[in-house]
Amino acid sequence: MTVRRDFTEPARCRPDLVIGREELFTAARDQLARGGSVLLHGPAGIGKSTVLRALAADYGETARTVLRCSATESESHLPFLALADLFGLVLDEVSDRLPAAQRTALESALTGRGESTLQRDGLALRLAVLSALRALAAAGPVLVVADDLQWLDSASAELLGFAARRLGDTPVQLLCAVRTEGQEYDRHLRASPPDTLAVRLHPLSRPQVSVLLDHRGYTDLPRSTVREIHRTSGGNPLFALELGRALGENPTPPRPGEPLPVPTSLRALVLSRLEMLSDEARRTLLVASAGARPTLALLHAAGREDAEAETAQAAALGLLATEPEGPAVRFAHPLISAALYAEAPAQERRAAHAALSTAASDPIERARNLALATTGTDPEVAARLAEAAALARDRGAPSSAAELGLLAARHTPPDDTPGPDEHRLRAAEDAITAGEVDLARDIAREVLTRATVPAERVRAWEVVIEAAGQSLGEVDAVFPQALADAGDDPRLLALVHYRLAWRKLVVEGDFAEAREEAAHTADLAARGGDRRTELMALSFQASTETLMGHPDAPATIKRALKEPQDPYVACHHNGAGTARFRWLLMSDQLPEARSTITALLREVRRRGMVESEVHFQRFLADIELRSGHCGRALDLARESLRLARDSGIGLGASAMLTSLAEASGGDVGRALVLAREAADRAEEDGDQMYLSRALAALGYAQLVAGDAAGAVGSLRRVRELEQGLGITDPARGRWQGDLAEALVRVGEAREAQEVIDVTREHALRLGRESVLAVLDRAEALVRAARGDQEGALVRLTSVQDRLAKLGYGLEEARAAFALARLRTRRPGPTSYDEAARLFRRCRALPWLRQVDAAAADVPVEPSAQPAPVPAPDALEGLASMERQVASLVMEGATNREIAARLFISVKTVEATLTRVYRKLGIRSRVDIVRLAAGRHAK
């Protein structure tokens, strides 16, 4: 099909399903923008056609002519079919410009009138295709879009390759996609223009598969199911969507231990080669598919005597991956294993599991296979499964423990002790530990439909509340029911009141009430003999007192750390270790805080405590950020956010901290997006505590981005929120210095001094040395704004030394930057070298760019005047792209934001800005902003 581009379309009109392909999409788009060609390759279903269509829609509008073809396997034997698709509609346009022999050969090939073959008319046809492309390009750029190159008829492929290799500087670009199983795309690359970029599409990650499923409407799938879809599909988007569709059409979800339902379409796709296997080889593969980690030794132990020959036969057919080293038997794709298992009759599956229940060396695997080989209830099987669940828990595999617990519940007789619901509740608690909150909530609600024992009901309510995360307002109706079930039992009441303490803090935003509720919980738990809940309540009380700046915090921390301890509480993200970490962090003891959180992170990883891992990863990033290790902090924060999105836990908190890290060491535009995401999430959850943190991150990002007015607005709201919450310790959010600096920038020096005075009083009372130093830095800016340059310089010099001694590298660099800026106002030479050195040491790239911009604006002579700003109508003399970029700079967009909005690379933005500066006779973005002010003044 041919499309002439003599009409306009919206710049961002492109298919939206390029999920997980943003980086490669940008790379391919940049390659096309440079005049090059692109070859997309990867296995079937990986999304090549989707990306091809998106690129064609996005970039194709720049071409005058778009030639398209899409081959199919069934038509690959028809000669010149692809050629007809490409040139059929433009033949009349170019035929008159071709030599007679070439025109005759091409018309014969495209129309079928006469007999044209490569053997007889080879040279004429080859030259005709090349000439036709050159003729079209003479009128404007040409884009050739070819999908499924592997099915191109051989004649068309030969002719297209001949022309592609000889186009030279002719404005003809190829955008092609080809199916490859490995890296065997060289043959197609050799038939492409020399400047072709080969882009391999890799499998999607689990979060990307989750987004893809949500986009297609499969939004109610538990995270554990999404994880299984990702595993079974191998990250292949087509396979993942087909599995999601099958689950959506299946009214009964798979039970624990059962594989996903594999739709017929996928079974046919991956199992066509099974018919070539012997029956015995197929049974051997079934045993392998039923095993968790199949090996030849395991298959032998399971009674498959000819396993070597049968697996070799399967490998030759491409069903198994060949392993040059190691004894593992690995399927070529996880879907082959799933489809093979789904295809097998239930009796054969049970036989495979029965064989593995005695052959497997691992007790967990033996118990799991025994359960899947057994029908009905069986107390002995249930006991074996409960033991296996405990072993999995000890090994740090709570997800496996949850699966085994549910299997134990299925095989437990109703009147047995412990009963089925006891196993289910333990499985729900394991699921919470593993971060599978959807599964945990579903289990708990199922138990509540029939449980009558108060202890079981209260435990189930606990799981429901825990699964709500920060959205405690959504489960308000649960608390009265849980209190009613608890009755007057102090042990059960303690469990409910502990959750009520969190509700006081998160939903009501009342630190004082939360502290009182936590103290009451500790007393109830002590009376009920529940040491675990007592320790959790004391830890919560200690953390609340620390954040409040309450004088009892140290004493409460000591009580929470007193023996006997509970190993679970000791490493929990709301446990005593975390309370101590917060105290160390807020008391400026950064090295000890780092060692504390590092040890906690190591332990929760060993135990498989996903939620705690998310939080501790974030805490460690916070330490590194304060220490001035911005690159390390950014890596940790991004990993925490990835883990949070993968598990659905702590998203707001991780987005908040990642925003701080991005604004300090990464992408300020990304920081703004993340901070707003965190604030929106906190407002949706009704979580005032994290709303203040998110807004503080937003204010900081706005300050770094140069939006002082925006920073003032955000940080004033933080001040109001924290006053309402009763938070008086300025070390909790450390936003006060940023607010004062932003106020100075917008000309509100009096309010800035008021912020400094109020905060200093609390910081002196609590001994927060780093906060005091930052406040002194802000006060120096106030003094400078009031004309006291000498006093400001003296204070800043002292501040820089104090922050260096405390180990706050980024704050030290900011003090050096402020010092250099003040010195520019005095006669004599000025140097930003010290600030640049310190920011470079911190890898604080956004701040380093500010230093570069400030240094570039320093006049060569002390008396030199600022660069003249061109007339507001000077933009009219710029090219279209230059005007667009300049306009977005006027709006305050960063280079990366401009690149994203215009679908160009950051380098292109930078090059365009250089041309804008030269044409307008200005030096920096600041002058463009001044130009904007002039336009508004008109």
Side-chain angles (χ1 to χ4, degrees):
M1 181 177 67
T2 306
V3 181
R4 264 197 210 101
R5 292 299 180 183
D6 50 5
F7 60 92
T8 59
E9 291 181 295
R12 277 173 274 178
C13 177
R14 74 167 197 252
D16 54 356
L17 265 183
V18 289
I19 292 166
R21 311 298 191 192
E22 290 80 6
E23 289 187 12
L24 68 85
F25 185 91
T26 300
R29 181 65 174 76
D30 290 347
Q31 168 74 358
L32 292 169
R34 288 191 293 267
S37 296
V38 173
L39 176 66
L40 304 170
H41 66 102
I46 204 67
K48 302 179 297 299
S49 297
T50 297
V51 176
L52 184 87
R53 287 193 297 270
L55 284 167
D58 188 73
Y59 181 73
E61 64 185 35
T62 65
R64 176 186 177 271
T65 306
V66 178
L67 308 176
R68 299 176 186 268
C69 70
S70 182
T72 63
E73 184 177 11
S74 62
E75 298 170 340
S76 61
H77 66 286
L78 299 173
F80 306 122
L81 182 61
L83 198 67
D85 285 342
L86 290 171
F87 293 102
L89 297 180
V90 294
L91 183 59
D92 292 342
E93 181 180 343
V94 299
S95 61
D96 291 344
R97 286 178 274 175
L98 301 181
Q102 293 179 23
R103 181 171 63 249
T104 300
L106 185 59
E107 288 177 347
S108 178
L110 297 186
T111 63
R113 294 194 297 270
E115 294 185 4
S116 180
T117 66
L118 275 180
Q119 268 189 332
R120 194 182 71 184
D121 303 316
L123 182 59
L125 268 176
R126 287 174 171 84
L127 293 174
V129 172
L130 181 59
S131 299
L133 289 172
R134 285 173 174 166
L136 289 170
V142 176
L143 179 67
V144 177
V145 181
D147 199 2
D148 285 317
L149 282 185
Q150 74 278 2
W151 303 133
L152 234 65
D153 62 274
S154 59
S156 296
E158 169 74 18
L159 294 169
L160 193 59
F162 175 87
R165 292 189 295 271
R166 290 164 175 80
L167 286 168
D169 295 331
T170 306
V172 176
Q173 296 168 266
L174 270 65
L175 172 59
C176 306
V178 61
R179 180 186 300 180
T180 55
E181 292 303 325
Q183 297 292 328
E184 67 278 9
Y185 60 92
D186 291 351
R187 174 170 59 89
H188 299 284
L189 195 59
R190 287 194 295 271
S192 303
D195 60 350
T196 299
L197 173 69
V199 178
R200 181 165 180 80
L201 275 69
H202 294 284
L204 299 180
S205 67
R206 193 196 311 176
Q208 290 165 350
V209 166
S210 179
V211 172
L212 178 64
L213 292 168
D214 285 346
H215 190 279
R216 287 298 183 91
Y218 307 123
T219 55
D220 296 328
L221 299 174
R223 291 187 180 274
S224 56
T225 302
V226 173
R227 182 188 63 198
E228 188 62 18
I229 288 176
H230 176 257
R231 188 196 67 78
T232 303
S233 68
N236 184 297
L238 173 64
F239 296 172
L241 287 171
E242 284 296 293
L243 290 167
R245 181 181 60 77
L247 281 166
E249 295 173 353
N250 188 355
T252 306
R255 296 189 297 179
E258 290 184 346
L260 297 175
V262 179
T264 304
S265 58
L266 291 186
R267 294 190 199 184
L269 181 65
V270 301
L271 296 182
S272 57
R273 287 164 286 182
L274 275 181
E275 297 176 358
M276 303 173 68
L277 284 176
S278 66
D279 290 342
E280 290 302 313
R282 185 166 180 157
R283 291 191 186 96
T284 296
L285 289 194
L286 176 60
V287 174
S289 71
R293 291 175 296 277
T295 62
L296 287 173
L298 178 65
L299 294 175
H300 279 301
R304 308 311 302 168
E305 297 178 356
D306 296 327
E308 285 90 348
E310 289 159 356
T311 54
Q313 182 187 2
L317 291 171
L319 295 166
L320 294 179
T322 55
E323 296 285 352
E325 298 178 3
V329 174
R330 187 168 61 86
F331 284 89
H333 192 282
L335 189 60
I336 297 174
S337 173
L340 175 65
Y341 188 93
E343 190 81 2
Q347 186 176 355
E348 289 187 16
R349 293 189 206 172
R350 287 195 296 271
H353 286 298
L356 290 169
S357 69
T358 57
S361 59
D362 184 80
I364 292 177
E365 280 306 299
R366 287 200 301 270
R368 175 181 169 276
N369 280 290
L370 178 61
L372 296 174
T374 305
T375 57
T377 60
D378 187 321
E380 184 178 344
V381 172
R384 290 267 302 276
L385 287 163
E387 292 170 3
L391 181 58
R393 204 173 296 124
D394 291 341
R395 289 181 179 177
S399 182
S400 295
E403 178 188 328
L404 291 162
L406 290 174
L407 286 170
R410 188 202 304 177
H411 291 289
T412 299
D415 55 351
D416 208 9
T417 304
D421 283 341
E422 172 66 25
H423 290 305
R424 291 188 181 94
L425 287 170
R426 194 68 183 92
E429 291 159 356
D430 285 328
I432 287 284
T433 301
E436 298 178 6
V437 292
D438 295 337
L439 175 63
R441 181 177 52 246
D442 292 345
I443 296 169
R445 292 201 178 278
E446 181 189 350
V447 169
L448 285 165
T449 60
R450 58 175 172 272
T452 56
V453 178
E456 290 182 350
R457 291 187 62 80
V458 171
R459 280 178 67 189
W461 289 126
E462 259 211 301
V463 170
V464 171
I465 296 168
E466 180 79 9
Q470 298 295 115
S471 307
L472 288 177
E474 296 179 2
V475 291
D476 265 348
V478 166
F479 291 101
Q481 299 177 70
L483 285 171
D485 285 331
D488 56 3
D489 185 330
R491 186 183 185 94
L492 298 180
L493 284 169
L495 295 173
V496 182
H497 279 278
Y498 175 71
R499 304 296 173 182
L500 282 168
W502 275 102
R503 187 190 176 282
K504 292 283 186 185
L505 182 64
V506 173
V507 178
E508 297 181 18
D510 194 326
F511 271 69
E513 284 291 328
R515 172 181 176 269
E516 292 299 323
E517 191 71 66
H520 178 51
T521 299
D523 291 340
L524 284 170
R527 281 172 27 213
D530 183 354
R531 181 62 175 164
R532 173 174 290 190
T533 303
E534 181 187 6
L535 288 171
M536 291 293 287
L538 288 171
S539 301
F540 177 74
Q541 182 183 342
S543 291
T544 305
E545 290 172 349
T546 299
L547 296 172
M548 293 172 65
H550 196 284
D552 290 349
T556 308
I557 291 174
K558 286 183 180 178
R559 286 180 63 197
L561 292 169
K562 193 175 180 180
E563 296 294 339
Q565 281 294 309
D566 181 292
Y568 174 80
V569 177
C571 65
H572 193 274
H573 59 278
N574 290 322
T578 305
R580 180 172 178 271
F581 160 76
R582 284 197 177 97
W583 174 259
L584 292 169
L585 185 66
M586 295 174 70
S587 301
D588 297 324
Q589 300 179 53
L590 298 187
E592 194 170 353
R594 181 187 287 107
S595 61
T596 297
I597 206 66
T598 300
L600 289 170
L601 181 58
R602 188 184 307 117
E603 179 61 15
V604 298
R605 281 175 173 164
R606 187 188 70 80
R607 290 171 169 265
M609 299 169 66
V610 173
E611 184 173 6
S612 293
E613 182 181 356
V614 171
H615 290 296
F616 291 157
Q617 188 100 356
R618 187 180 81 252
F619 293 162
L620 185 56
D622 195 5
I623 286 282
E624 299 298 348
L625 195 57
R626 296 184 190 214
S627 301
H629 306 150
C630 297
R632 170 74 173 149
L634 186 56
D635 290 342
L636 289 165
R638 285 173 174 171
E639 176 61 20
S640 172
L641 184 59
R642 184 202 64 76
L643 189 59
R645 285 185 168 150
D646 195 12
S647 62
I649 295 171
L651 270 170
S654 292
M656 174 272 298
L657 199 282
T658 308
S659 171
L660 290 172
E662 291 280 2
S664 298
D667 181 340
V668 180
R670 178 72 175 147
L672 291 166
V673 170
L674 286 168
R676 290 188 177 103
E677 175 187 325
D680 290 345
R681 184 174 293 276
E683 291 207 271
E684 288 173 11
D685 293 343
D687 184 349
Q688 297 184 58
M689 182 174 65
Y690 266 115
L691 177 58
S692 69
R693 298 295 306 275
L695 289 171
L698 177 59
Y700 173 69
Q702 289 167 323
L703 184 66
V704 177
D707 181 10
V712 167
S714 298
L715 296 175
R716 277 175 175 164
R717 190 175 173 201
V718 175
R719 180 175 59 187
E720 294 170 4
L721 282 167
E722 294 206 350
Q723 286 174 350
L725 290 166
I727 298 172
T728 60
D729 193 335
R732 187 241 179 187
R734 297 176 181 267
W735 49 266
Q736 296 85 352
D738 291 336
L739 174 56
E741 182 175 338
L743 286 165
V744 170
R745 290 191 191 181
V746 299
E748 298 288 348
R750 177 181 295 178
E751 184 182 347
Q753 188 62 55
E754 291 172 359
V755 170
I756 292 166
D757 292 341
V758 171
T759 308
R760 182 178 283 131
E761 181 181 347
H762 293 299
L764 285 168
R765 173 175 61 85
L766 296 166
R768 304 301 191 222
E769 291 298 326
S770 63
V771 174
L772 288 168
V774 169
L775 291 173
D776 284 350
R777 183 185 70 205
E779 189 168 45
L781 300 179
V782 173
R783 290 189 178 190
R786 291 173 172 173
D788 183 7
Q789 297 292 317
E790 293 302 319
L793 288 170
V794 170
R795 176 151 294 203
L796 275 176
T797 303
S798 168
V799 165
Q800 185 178 342
D801 292 340
R802 286 157 58 197
L803 288 168
K805 290 175 182 176
L806 289 168
Y808 284 79
L810 183 58
E811 298 294 356
E812 176 195 357
R814 288 180 65 180
F817 187 25
L819 195 60
R821 274 179 158 167
L822 285 182
R823 284 174 176 157
T824 62
R825 303 181 187 181
R826 307 172 70 198
T830 299
S831 174
Y832 284 91
D833 289 350
E834 174 69 0
R837 181 185 69 81
L838 292 173
F839 281 131
R840 198 173 291 113
R841 183 184 69 183
C842 295
R843 286 183 58 191
L845 301 182
W847 285 105
L848 194 57
R849 284 191 284 270
Q850 287 196 34
V851 173
D852 291 342
D857 283 341
V858 173
V860 177
E861 298 294 334
S863 59
Q865 297 299 314
V869 178
D873 59 358
L875 290 185
E876 302 307 317
L878 299 177
S880 173
M881 177 63 74
E882 293 165 351
R883 282 200 306 275
Q884 291 181 68
V885 170
S887 298
L888 289 172
V889 170
M890 290 177 178
E891 295 175 14
T894 66
N895 286 1
R896 191 171 292 275
E897 288 173 326
I898 294 170
R901 290 172 66 174
L902 298 181
F903 296 107
I904 58 178
S905 70
V906 174
K907 287 185 178 180
T908 302
V909 175
E910 293 168 350
T912 304
L913 276 175
T914 300
R915 293 196 301 273
V916 170
Y917 297 158
R918 185 175 64 250
K919 288 183 178 181
L920 297 183
I922 60 178
R923 290 194 297 254
S924 70
R925 298 168 67 96
V926 174
D927 292 328
I928 295 181
V929 175
R930 290 165 62 199
L931 174 60
R935 295 179 80 189
H936 294 319
K938 289 181 71 176

